[in-house]
Amino acid sequence: MTLSRRLLLLPLLLLLASCGKTPWNDPYPVTERGQNIRYSAFTERPKHLDPARSYSSNEVEFIGQIYEPPLQYHYLKRPYELIPATATEVPRPRYFDADGKPLPEDAPVARIAQSVYEIHIKPGIRYQPHPALARDAQGKLVYGHLKREDLDKIETLSDFAQTGTRELTADDYVYEIKRLAHPRLNSPIYGLMSEYIVGLKEYGDLLTKVDREQKAKGNEGYLDLNQYPLAGAEVVDRYTYRVRIKGKYPQFIYWLAMPFFAPVPWEVEKFYAQPGMLEKNLVLDWFPIGTGPYMLTVNNPNKLMVLARNPNFHGERYPSEGEPGDRAKGLLADAGKPIPFIDKAVFSLEKEDIPYWNKFLQGFYDSSGISSDTFDQAIRIGATGDAALTDELKKKDIKLVSTVMATISYMGFNMQDPIVGGLSERARKLRQAISIAVDYEERISIFSNGRGIPAQGPIPPRIFGYKEGEAGINSYMYDWANGHAQRKSIEEARRLLAEAGYPNGRDAQTGKPLVLNFDTPAVGPDQKSRLEWLSKQFKKLDIELVIRATDYNRFQDKMLKGTAQIFEWGWNADYPDPENFLFLLYGPNRKVGANGENDHLFEQMKNMDNGPARQKIIDEMVDIARRDAPWVWGYYPQAYGLYHGWLYNAKPNLMANNGLKYLRLDPARREREREAWNQPVLWPIGVLIAVLLVLLVPAWLNYWRREHRVPGGGR
């Protein structure tokens, strides 16, 4: 075929190729097209997948689908409600005095020496397939006595020829509680739990001693926790175990919904402790095992993580009730149906926001957050301040879901500082003046794209103790006007500043300007504008703010030593209880310093059950905190999520970490939308080819004529 004909055929071939339904830019394998697979991304590799060690949100996104603590949060109901997961019911504590005699439920806290939680688990629950549980015909562990050379051809769990399973038992839950004290694991909650679980501190000391003795003998392998009983966690029978808590600690029930209290079989720990396993990264921290709806089948955190349906999952049903409005939103359309709906979840590593966003718009990710860089492409803020999707996203039937997070971001004062600290009237009015002047409404608008609510106190919305509307405003910083909270004027702030002894930002006694220091680990160009804005807030009061930026380790050191004067901090809820926020202002929990006025109220409140009596104490505590203003209360961040129309049952749940099982997909619709949104644009190629033809064909014709010219001028 001649060159000219080939050039003429090229546009036709390109057009024929474009007629295929498969998008040219599809990043996934052909075999996955049309499959019931959820596509998402992760931005940071998980460090720990061991439930005793994991304490980060990017880790629980995976392990929350794999492990099953005895309790979980209702997916739809608000306020957040605990319900059984593997347990038969939510346990109620029984109380005992120092002599071991039972006490009534309303017994005074001072009389309660122990709270006992008895947890009954459902029979018939089985673990996912795993080589650690493989047994031979005689019932012996197939891989229970491996030698280093047995692992020569083993690189991942799938390289083991056999897998096995067994029933979940109460012993597995007790074993995990013991693991919290394991000296080689350094569980982040061991210190806290050792204050509450009977004997856990002593158990940790014992395990440390035993581990040291084993290592001295050259044995660094399996530390058999079954040989050492723990007083505070005991097996009652095959499906029942008991946890003993010192005194009364109602918040313990929330911990029973966290992966820290999920079951781990002793066989698995023994399996991973064998020679050569650690060198090949064959550890529980990398290859988890659970009874949940999904199991980790691919762990390549530099590229891809995959969760696949657990074939041994015991089954569950989608909720049949929620909060008002859920039915109208379609969140109860699947009521009573068996879950999980999705067969597999593929998570791709995306380190940059823009590629993630573009793939979401192309339909290659089912959901997305909204970064500052992409906010204007996604959201339009109306005249009333309401957020709505842009027309482009509406045309694609993308859904917007938002929720106020159980988080507070605040500016703190060092209460030991001679200028901003202390409870004198002078210091208190100085902090109040600054609290009014630092306009968090403006900060939210400028630096958070409006995603947040100014905080009126330490407790976020939807946590018991928070009050809506006029009843909940901080009257030291706000007035109630026209149906909403309105920040007090800068004139009021300047009046308070003068009463504090700093008229026009100068010390009334010395005449020197007031200079305050703000310590921060925020460095780099991205933070410059925010810090400049903060300085301007203090300038409203003629106060000079000196920014002292440093690295995070140095900043932490300053916080521990109490040498920072003013700083920014934040807190995410571990569980939906006011104690989890008010404890931040509790004297013994301070970095430095002694107890304050609010501490005796906290000690009363923390162990109370929710009700009017507890609310009354919380109101008193919050009012004292507002008056004393140890924090500029800052704001409660608001999270925005985007979901394609083919993804159903998406509802933010800030406490639950096992939400994947509730989501449902329409893969056929997704395929149609992807094809429509990713059609190749070929006309530029056609134009380019036409230009090439115009340039090349005359040259080719001249060449052909020269080659075929007859000598002497003839042909």
Side-chain angles (χ1 to χ4, degrees):
M1 185 181 290
T2 64
L3 176 61
S4 58
R5 290 179 178 175
R6 289 173 183 167
L7 289 172
L8 290 171
L9 281 173
L10 183 57
L12 179 60
L13 291 172
L14 287 169
L15 288 171
L16 288 172
S18 70
C19 293
K21 292 185 176 182
T22 302
W24 291 7
N25 57 337
D26 192 337
Y28 306 117
V30 175
T31 54
E32 292 185 358
R33 287 173 194 145
Q35 299 299 305
N36 186 20
I37 300 173
R38 165 88 192 281
Y39 292 102
S40 184
F42 64 103
T43 57
E44 185 180 356
R45 61 177 293 171
K47 186 177 180 181
H48 295 298
L49 298 177
D50 182 334
R53 306 180 72 181
S54 174
Y55 207 8
S56 296
S57 58
N58 69 310
E59 297 164 354
V60 80
E61 183 175 12
F62 298 101
I63 68 172
Q65 325 311 323
I66 299 168
Y67 294 105
E68 287 190 297
L71 304 181
Q72 61 184 337
Y73 288 95
H74 194 287
Y75 182 59
L76 300 177
K77 286 186 179 180
R78 306 292 184 273
Y80 297 104
E81 179 183 320
L82 284 172
I83 60 173
T86 60
T88 58
E89 60 186 355
V90 177
R92 295 184 62 85
R94 292 178 294 131
Y95 303 123
F96 297 87
D97 64 16
D99 297 323
K101 296 179 180 178
L103 295 170
E105 287 189 2
D106 59 353
V109 173
R111 290 193 60 197
I112 299 174
Q114 281 190 13
S115 304
V116 177
Y117 292 81
E118 195 159 282
I119 298 105
H120 305 275
I121 62 172
K122 302 167 187 173
I125 297 174
R126 303 189 73 79
Y127 284 98
Q128 68 181 68
H130 196 282
L133 301 180
R135 293 182 180 270
D136 60 21
Q138 288 72 44
K140 295 180 180 179
L141 293 171
V142 174
Y143 303 114
H145 301 282
L146 296 174
K147 297 177 182 178
R148 196 176 297 272
E149 53 268 25
D150 295 330
L151 300 178
D152 286 346
K153 296 182 180 180
I154 301 292
E155 298 299 331
T156 186
L157 285 190
S158 60
D159 292 332
F160 288 95
Q162 297 184 52
T163 62
T165 184
R166 70 162 172 80
E167 188 182 32
L168 171 70
T169 66
D171 184 69
D172 300 328
Y173 283 101
V174 171
Y175 193 84
E176 168 64 3
I177 295 173
K178 291 178 177 181
R179 293 181 77 245
L180 299 178
H182 200 304
R184 302 178 196 171
L185 298 180
N186 297 313
S187 174
I189 68 162
Y190 167 64
L192 175 64
M193 286 299 119
S194 64
E195 296 177 12
Y196 290 107
I197 297 177
V198 172
L200 189 63
K201 173 66 170 65
E202 295 76 10
Y203 193 74
D205 294 339
L206 171 63
L207 293 185
T208 300
K209 178 175 178 291
V210 172
D211 186 48
R212 191 182 301 118
E213 292 172 352
Q214 279 195 192
K215 288 179 178 177
K217 297 176 182 177
N219 179 11
E220 298 190 13
Y222 177 53
L223 180 58
D224 187 1
L225 306 187
N226 291 320
Q227 295 185 27
Y228 310 100
L230 170 60
E234 57 183 332
V235 174
V236 178
D237 58 40
R238 183 173 179 81
Y239 303 115
T240 309
Y241 67 104
R242 190 179 291 143
V243 182
R244 298 182 182 274
I245 300 296
K246 300 173 187 176
K248 184 178 181 180
Y249 181 46
Q251 292 78 21
F252 179 71
I253 197 75
Y254 297 118
W255 289 98
L256 292 177
M258 296 187 191
F260 293 114
F261 289 86
V264 170
W266 65 267
E267 298 99 323
V268 170
E269 188 146 81
K270 183 176 181 181
F271 171 80
Y272 284 128
Q274 295 178 97
M277 289 284 193
L278 181 61
E279 290 87 335
K280 290 180 174 284
N281 206 25
L282 294 170
V283 292
L284 187 62
D285 226 16
W286 196 261
F287 293 104
I289 170 176
T291 61
Y294 294 96
M295 57 186 188
L296 188 67
T297 56
V298 177
N299 185 359
N300 180 4
N302 293 317
K303 181 181 179 182
L304 194 72
M305 310 257 312
V306 177
L307 294 171
R309 187 190 288 262
N310 173 10
N312 298 335
F313 183 54
H314 52 90
E316 197 175 341
R317 299 277 173 174
Y318 189 87
S320 296
E321 55 184 341
E323 65 175 333
D326 281 351
R327 189 172 298 278
K329 295 175 183 176
L331 290 167
L332 287 169
D334 290 318
K337 294 180 181 178
I339 56 176
F341 297 115
I342 293 170
D343 294 332
K344 188 164 71 170
V346 174
F347 300 81
S348 303
L349 179 64
E350 293 284 2
K351 293 185 177 181
E352 303 294 334
D353 290 333
I354 299 302
Y356 191 152
W357 175 251
N358 288 336
K359 289 178 184 177
F360 169 71
L361 293 181
Q362 292 167 326
F364 297 123
Y365 290 136
D366 300 316
S367 60
S368 173
I370 307 175
S371 69
S372 298
D373 292 334
T374 59
F375 187 85
D376 290 339
Q377 289 181 256
I379 301 295
R380 292 286 180 266
I381 303 297
T384 59
D386 294 331
L389 290 173
T390 59
D391 291 341
E392 179 190 358
L393 268 60
K394 287 180 181 177
K395 289 177 183 177
K396 291 190 170 186
D397 193 29
I398 290 172
K399 312 296 184 186
L400 171 66
V401 180
S402 67
T403 186
V404 178
M405 299 177 69
T407 300
I408 185 168
S409 177
Y410 62 89
M411 182 187 298
F413 298 101
N414 180 356
M415 294 299 281
Q416 304 299 312
D417 184 81
I419 298 175
V420 300
L423 295 175
S424 67
E425 195 69 11
R426 175 185 175 101
R428 182 181 290 125
K429 288 188 174 182
L430 172 60
R431 294 192 297 269
Q432 290 175 355
I434 294 171
S435 297
I436 294 171
V438 181
D439 188 345
Y440 266 88
E441 287 85 353
E442 185 177 275
R443 184 197 190 284
I444 294 166
S445 175
I446 296 173
F447 300 105
S448 301
N449 302 109
R451 290 176 285 183
I453 296 175
Q456 302 292 331
I459 303 173
R462 293 190 168 182
I463 302 294
F464 182 84
Y466 176 84
K467 285 190 171 180
E468 298 275 359
E470 185 175 5
I473 72 163
N474 179 354
S475 59
Y476 297 93
M477 290 176 57
Y478 289 87
D479 296 314
W480 188 259
N482 301 318
H484 67 275
Q486 183 174 304
R487 185 175 291 272
K488 290 182 182 292
S489 67
I490 197 64
E491 288 75 19
E492 175 66 11
R494 295 183 73 89
R495 182 187 66 79
L496 287 167
L497 187 68
E499 291 178 3
Y502 302 100
N504 300 316
R506 291 182 174 271
D507 191 311
Q509 297 178 357
T510 66
K512 293 181 178 180
L514 179 59
V515 179
L516 300 177
N517 298 312
F518 179 79
D519 287 276
T520 176
V523 294
D526 292 344
Q527 300 294 339
K528 183 179 178 181
S529 58
R530 186 178 62 82
L531 296 174
E532 288 176 350
W533 173 87
L534 187 59
S535 295
K536 289 178 181 177
Q537 305 305 298
F538 282 76
K539 276 292 183 184
K540 296 175 187 175
L541 301 176
D542 297 315
I543 297 173
E544 182 181 348
L545 187 69
V546 177
I547 305 295
R548 301 195 298 192
T550 185
D551 63 77
Y552 189 70
N553 290 335
R554 174 64 179 148
F555 176 75
Q556 284 276 64
D557 189 54
K558 285 185 177 184
M559 297 298 294
L560 290 170
K561 292 180 179 178
T563 57
Q565 189 176 47
I566 305 174
F567 54 91
E568 280 187 330
W569 209 263
W571 183 257
N572 297 314
D574 289 311
Y575 43 84
D577 191 89
E579 179 264 352
N580 197 230
F581 289 91
L582 292 172
F583 92 103
L584 298 166
L585 299 167
Y586 177 49
N589 290 335
R590 293 174 184 168
K591 301 291 186 184
V592 293
N595 296 1
E597 180 182 355
N598 237 336
D599 295 341
H600 72 284
L601 293 173
F602 177 83
E603 289 167 0
Q604 292 179 56
M605 180 280 306
K606 68 174 183 176
N607 294 325
M608 295 177 69
D609 297 318
N610 289 343
R614 195 182 197 207
Q615 182 69 62
K616 184 178 179 181
I617 293 178
I618 290 171
D619 291 344
E620 188 177 350
M621 292 179 67
V622 170
D623 186 65
I624 292 171
R626 288 168 173 166
R627 182 200 68 196
D628 290 344
W631 299 350
V632 178
W633 297 105
Y635 70 108
Y636 312 121
Q638 192 169 14
Y640 283 11
L642 299 176
Y643 303 88
H644 281 293
W646 58 70
L647 183 67
Y648 302 94
N649 302 332
K651 180 177 181 177
N653 189 315
L654 303 175
M655 296 299 143
N657 50 45
N658 58 352
L660 178 62
K661 63 185 177 182
Y662 301 104
L663 299 179
R664 179 169 59 83
L665 285 165
D666 183 345
R669 179 183 171 185
R670 179 171 62 190
E671 286 301 303
R672 292 194 301 270
E673 301 286 357
R674 282 181 179 176
E675 291 164 13
W677 298 344
N678 294 278
Q679 287 298 311
V681 179
L682 296 179
W683 67 262
I685 300 175
V687 171
L688 178 61
I689 291 171
V691 171
L692 289 173
L693 287 172
V694 169
L695 295 173
L696 293 176
V697 169
W700 178 82
L701 288 172
N702 287 333
Y703 170 79
W704 187 88
R705 289 180 184 134
R706 284 197 308 270
E707 289 296 312
H708 294 80
R709 184 179 296 131
V710 177
R715 287 183 178 274

